Amino acid sequence: MVHELIENYQPDDGFEEKNKEIILEYLVFSPNDALTRGSRIAHLTVSAFILNETMDKALMVHHNLYKTWAWPGGHADGNPDLLQVAYEEAREETGVKNLRPLSEGIMSLDILPVFKHTKGGEAVASHLHFNASFIFVAGESQQLMAKEDENSGVAWLEVGKLAQYCREPHIEPIYEKLIKKAWHLTSLCKSGIINVK
């Protein structure tokens, strides 16, 4: 399931093409470690980029670990259904109950560095996240609730101002790419050119 999902992803550029090649190689050589945290070098994670119905705001959480506003997400932890993992992480970290995927496919495939930090009182060495991003849509009227052990706030932020809230410059281009993809897919759906699944 995971291999097929990643294989079906169409990279946007040469960098994503290399990301895809590396991640697929890792799935072949370390199939047991890829979906778990069995390897301290790299493992699969997911992110949920949540937009409102008008696509002008993103639902972000203020991460306790990174001290910045960012997308919700987490580790696959053995679940091969990455879309489902992203959905569950989104609900757990934001409190939003009703959200739908804009597409069932991966919207961005990235290799993200995680620098050494302390979690739960234990040292965590620097490693890599092989990250699959999905885009979701949710209504703004829903009640928001932080997941206190992971984040200290949840808020709808204007997509044009995300750079003012994000303290991770290497993530900002991914947000920009996801926003553009969401706008493009939505316009194609409205015009009847495609039916997103």
Side-chain angles (χ1 to χ4, degrees):
M1 180 184 285
V2 173
H3 193 281
E4 182 180 0
L5 185 67
I6 294 173
E7 188 69 63
N8 289 338
Y9 179 69
Q10 298 300 315
D12 287 337
D13 54 34
F15 295 108
E16 278 202 337
E17 184 64 51
K18 294 297 182 186
N19 289 344
K20 180 177 175 179
E21 290 174 7
I22 291 168
I23 294 170
L24 287 173
E25 285 177 12
Y26 185 75
L27 287 172
V28 170
F29 292 113
S30 301
N32 296 326
D33 290 337
L35 279 173
T36 69
R37 300 183 217 196
S39 169
R40 293 183 293 175
I41 298 171
H43 36 256
L44 282 167
T45 58
V46 299
S47 293
F49 193 70
I50 308 167
L51 292 165
N52 61 354
E53 296 286 353
T54 52
M55 305 280 166
D56 59 356
K57 291 181 184 175
L59 188 58
M60 309 292 273
V61 297
H62 194 273
H63 277 286
N64 295 339
L65 180 61
Y66 301 114
K67 309 297 184 194
T68 186
W69 289 95
W71 51 13
H75 295 81
D77 283 337
N79 188 345
D81 189 342
L82 300 185
L83 177 62
Q84 182 63 30
V85 175
Y87 177 77
E88 290 172 0
E89 290 288 337
R91 292 185 67 185
E92 288 176 7
E93 293 187 27
T94 66
V96 167
K97 301 299 181 190
N98 299 311
L99 66 164
R100 62 179 172 82
L102 190 60
S103 168
E104 293 181 3
I106 294 171
M107 292 286 103
S108 185
L109 192 60
D110 304 281
I111 298 176
L112 304 176
V114 179
F115 301 105
K116 65 180 183 179
H117 60 274
T118 302
K119 188 168 184 179
E122 300 215 359
V124 178
S126 297
H127 59 281
L128 297 174
H129 281 175
F130 294 156
N131 194 68
S133 300
F134 298 87
I135 300 174
F136 294 87
V137 177
E140 284 185 73
S141 62
Q142 297 184 65
Q143 182 177 356
L144 305 179
M145 185 178 297
K147 189 173 185 286
E148 294 182 1
D149 61 328
E150 293 188 22
N151 61 67
S152 59
V154 185
W156 287 101
L157 305 177
E158 292 181 42
V159 295
K161 296 182 178 179
L162 289 183
Q164 297 176 22
Y165 299 94
C166 176
R167 295 177 57 193
E168 298 174 293
H170 63 291
I171 303 291
E172 289 175 33
I174 302 173
Y175 295 156
E176 292 172 6
K177 173 174 57 177
L178 292 170
I179 292 163
K180 288 177 183 176
K181 282 191 172 184
W183 287 345
H184 182 66
L185 281 175
T186 303
S187 65
L188 291 177
C189 288
K190 286 181 179 177
S191 64
I193 296 175
I194 63 168
N195 180 20
V196 176
K197 291 184 179 179

